[in-house]
Amino acid sequence: MESATDSGPPLVFNSSDNVTVVDSSTSALNVSTSFALALKCLDFFNFYYLAVIIIFGVVGNTLNFLVFTRTHLKLRSSSYYLAALALADLGFLLTLLVVWLNHVGVDLFNRQGFCQALVYTSSVCSCLSVWLTVAFTIERLIAVQYPLQRPYMCTVRRAKIIISVLSFTTLSGHIYSLFTAGITDGPEGKSICDLLPAYYRFMHVVNLLDTILTLVIPFILIVVMNTLIAKNLIVFSRTFNRKKSRSNNSSAQHIQWPAPKQSC
């Protein structure tokens, strides 16, 4: 006697009690075909989308760096934060360019030496970009909250020191990337740049700390400081409008009630 599992394709009963035969092999084939088509579309989009981001990003950040360091804007402390931020973003885009070159047959990323250097550079640039944004936001908050103290607190020398400290801390804090990344065996026997299996547990802890230090804490700081900046600007705007309204009212009263003429 034939078992239920060997009785052929599954049967599906609709509301009118008609029997519909569903061929599981045909359904699986349709799903795999749709998945392959989606992957092709994503690859096509990824190829051109990344190319556009890299081209415009490299050109834009290069121009930003030159403007903030080669013009009169270099006299402002905030320009140094923006120049360093442009340089960090430029470094990350260049590492992204090397990865993108795999699409055109230039495989540098999956080579020993290049793999570790690119992983380290991308980690440093992304982390440094976040904390430079935090430092720039702090300076904006000082300028709005304490405008009279700003010339003494936000100096070019102090900006250079902060940028140097952030750079040194980030460079030294990501040295582990040079040891945890390497060439491993990927699918179809290809050598790929990936996390070495011996450091899986270590990187689990590192990724948790990295998420806290480069996402959670900076996000909270930026949101709080931007909220304080917006609050101060609103208060300043209301105070300015109130004073302007009083000035207009006093001017109108002066025009409506002129001084009486003296008789001879």
Side-chain angles (χ1 to χ4, degrees):
M1 184 176 177
E2 215 173 17
S3 63
T5 55
D6 298 329
S7 58
L11 302 179
V12 178
F13 294 88
N14 56 23
S15 57
S16 59
D17 293 336
N18 294 326
V19 178
T20 303
V21 179
V22 179
D23 192 345
S24 59
S25 60
T26 303
S27 178
L29 180 62
N30 292 333
V31 172
S32 61
T33 304
S34 301
F35 183 71
L37 180 62
L39 286 179
K40 289 183 179 180
C41 293
L42 287 175
D43 288 338
F44 179 83
F45 178 76
N46 188 39
F47 179 79
Y48 291 101
Y49 176 70
L50 282 181
V52 171
I53 288 180
I54 292 170
I55 292 173
F56 283 96
V58 169
V59 173
N61 283 293
T62 302
L63 292 177
N64 286 339
F65 179 78
L66 294 176
V67 168
F68 289 125
T69 57
R70 295 291 184 268
T71 64
H72 67 280
L73 293 176
K74 65 182 180 180
L75 300 177
R76 301 180 179 181
S77 59
S78 59
S79 297
Y80 286 86
Y81 291 111
L82 295 175
L85 180 61
L87 197 61
D89 292 341
L90 182 61
F92 182 82
L93 287 171
L94 291 177
T95 60
L96 190 62
L97 173 62
V98 176
V99 177
W100 179 84
L101 288 176
N102 290 336
H103 293 284
V104 294
V106 182
D107 191 4
L108 296 176
F109 180 64
N110 295 316
R111 294 184 181 181
Q112 189 71 19
F114 282 96
C115 170
Q116 291 85 349
L118 292 172
V119 171
Y120 175 72
T121 304
S122 63
S123 300
V124 168
C125 291
S126 59
C127 180
L128 186 59
S129 177
V130 171
W131 282 104
L132 285 172
T133 304
V134 173
F136 175 76
T137 308
I138 292 175
E139 181 167 288
R140 294 297 88 201
L141 177 61
I142 293 174
V144 174
Q145 187 81 28
Y146 309 103
L148 298 180
Q149 287 77 18
R150 180 189 176 278
Y152 307 100
M153 299 177 65
C154 303
T155 62
V156 172
R157 180 175 177 275
R158 186 164 294 176
K160 290 181 178 179
I161 293 175
I162 293 174
I163 293 171
S164 300
V165 171
L166 288 176
S167 301
F168 176 77
T169 304
T170 307
L171 287 169
S172 58
H174 288 83
I175 292 180
Y176 65 86
S177 299
L178 298 174
F179 306 100
T180 57
I183 303 301
T184 60
D185 294 331
E188 300 179 359
K190 294 182 179 180
S191 298
I192 60 172
C193 178
D194 201 355
L195 175 65
L196 296 176
Y199 296 99
Y200 281 165
R201 182 172 299 180
F202 171 75
M203 285 304 299
H204 178 74
V205 178
V206 171
N207 287 333
L208 181 60
L209 292 175
D210 185 69
T211 301
I212 296 174
L213 294 176
T214 62
L215 177 62
V216 178
I217 295 178
F219 176 78
I220 294 174
L221 291 175
I222 290 174
V223 169
V224 171
M225 288 186 292
N226 281 324
T227 302
L228 293 175
I229 291 173
K231 179 183 177 181
N232 287 315
L233 291 177
I234 292 173
V235 172
F236 174 79
S237 178
R238 290 177 178 176
T239 304
F240 177 78
N241 291 334
R242 192 180 300 113
K243 291 181 178 180
K244 185 177 180 180
S245 177
R246 290 178 182 176
S247 177
N248 292 336
N249 291 336
S250 61
S251 299
Q253 290 177 0
H254 180 73
I255 295 174
Q256 292 176 1
W257 301 98
K261 295 181 179 179
Q262 297 180 354
S263 59
C264 298

